[in-house]
Amino acid sequence: MTTMPVYFVSHGGPNLLDDTEYPPNGAIASGLRAIGDEIKALSPRGMVVVSGHWEAGASSLQVSGIRAEPLIYDFYGFPALYYKQQFPHTVDPQLSQRVAELFKAQNVPIDTVARGLDHGAWVVLKKAGLANAPFPIIQLSLYKNESMDMHVQLGETLAELKKEGIVVVGSGMAVHNLRDLFGSRSTSLRSYVEPFDKQIEQAVLGPSSERKN
């Protein structure tokens, strides 16, 4: 069985689906579509998405997918059309149980729950052209804490799924300071953005022995 890759995508708000703001031939839309096409070409057995918009307990996790549930519209102040968007997809209770087994083997408390995809998952996957994908899509929570070690271990546990034909997708943003974004009249980058972006790049691409530092 082919070992599946892992993807990290930046999801933004639901207006990512606006073809005027994000035209199909633009860099963001075409880049996401290329990722979606690549995933479909891999013919994975399933997908597990981790979004920055779902946290469970301080030391426990939750995984969705025991049954299909409506999407979660966890965004505010957008035009009504975004609250009517749909993202047809299937789920897989057996995949949910498999994810739970992996974490229980690491003595991590985890519950399988009935929960729809939040916008950190379905918006970007829809823009990537993965509506009605021929494989199930479920979501895993984060911990409700800021422990780097615990979240690195979360990723290491999920890595086992790559060998089982499951694509893992992380969805979020390296920099997400909306107060600075909307409160500034300047179009220039804040001073912390480029140094932090470089640190993230080094952490992801550097030697594994240095990633926790």
Side-chain angles (χ1 to χ4, degrees):
M1 182 177 292
T2 302
T3 299
M4 293 292 152
V6 173
Y7 297 86
F8 178 79
V9 292
S10 181
H11 61 253
N15 53 314
L16 180 66
L17 300 174
D18 188 328
D19 285 343
T20 301
E21 281 192 70
Y22 299 94
N25 60 345
I28 292 176
S30 60
L32 288 173
R33 192 166 58 250
I35 289 174
D37 290 344
E38 181 176 301
I39 291 174
K40 286 185 283 189
L42 290 168
S43 299
R45 291 180 48 244
M47 175 185 290
V48 176
V49 186
V50 183
S51 156
H53 290 279
W54 186 18
E55 297 175 330
S59 59
S60 62
L61 298 170
Q62 294 181 330
V63 60
S64 74
I66 59 173
R67 65 172 180 267
E69 291 288 328
L71 299 178
I72 299 174
Y73 301 93
D74 51 337
F75 45 82
Y76 309 96
F78 286 89
L81 65 95
Y82 293 119
Y83 301 91
K84 299 176 183 178
Q85 293 286 327
Q86 295 297 315
F87 178 69
H89 67 285
T90 60
V91 298
D92 182 0
Q94 291 185 335
L95 178 55
S96 300
Q97 291 294 340
R98 176 57 182 150
V99 172
E101 287 173 4
L102 289 173
F103 284 96
K104 288 177 180 177
Q106 301 294 324
N107 296 315
V108 175
I110 182 170
D111 293 322
T112 53
V113 299
R115 181 185 187 273
L117 299 177
D118 60 53
H119 87 273
W122 67 264
V123 168
V124 70
L125 296 181
K126 183 169 185 175
K127 193 69 172 183
L130 291 173
N132 293 304
F135 48 81
I137 300 172
I138 66 171
Q139 188 170 353
L140 174 70
S141 75
L142 297 171
Y143 293 106
K144 194 175 182 62
N145 67 49
E146 297 181 1
S147 168
M148 176 65 75
D149 288 343
M150 291 179 70
H151 286 96
V152 168
Q153 180 62 51
L154 182 153
E156 291 174 346
T157 300
L158 280 181
E160 185 67 25
L161 294 173
K162 298 192 304 175
K163 296 180 284 187
E164 301 176 12
I166 305 300
V167 168
V168 177
V169 176
S171 173
M173 280 189 174
V175 179
H176 193 277
N177 192 328
L178 296 182
R179 183 179 300 172
D180 279 356
L181 175 65
F182 295 122
S184 175
R185 296 180 180 178
S186 172
T187 58
S188 61
L189 291 175
R190 293 279 181 162
S191 61
Y192 60 79
V193 173
E194 288 188 346
F196 184 69
D197 187 65
K198 180 59 67 175
Q199 290 177 353
I200 292 291
E201 180 180 327
Q202 292 171 347
V204 172
L205 301 179
S208 58
S209 60
E210 300 177 6
R211 288 178 187 170
K212 294 184 182 181
N213 297 325

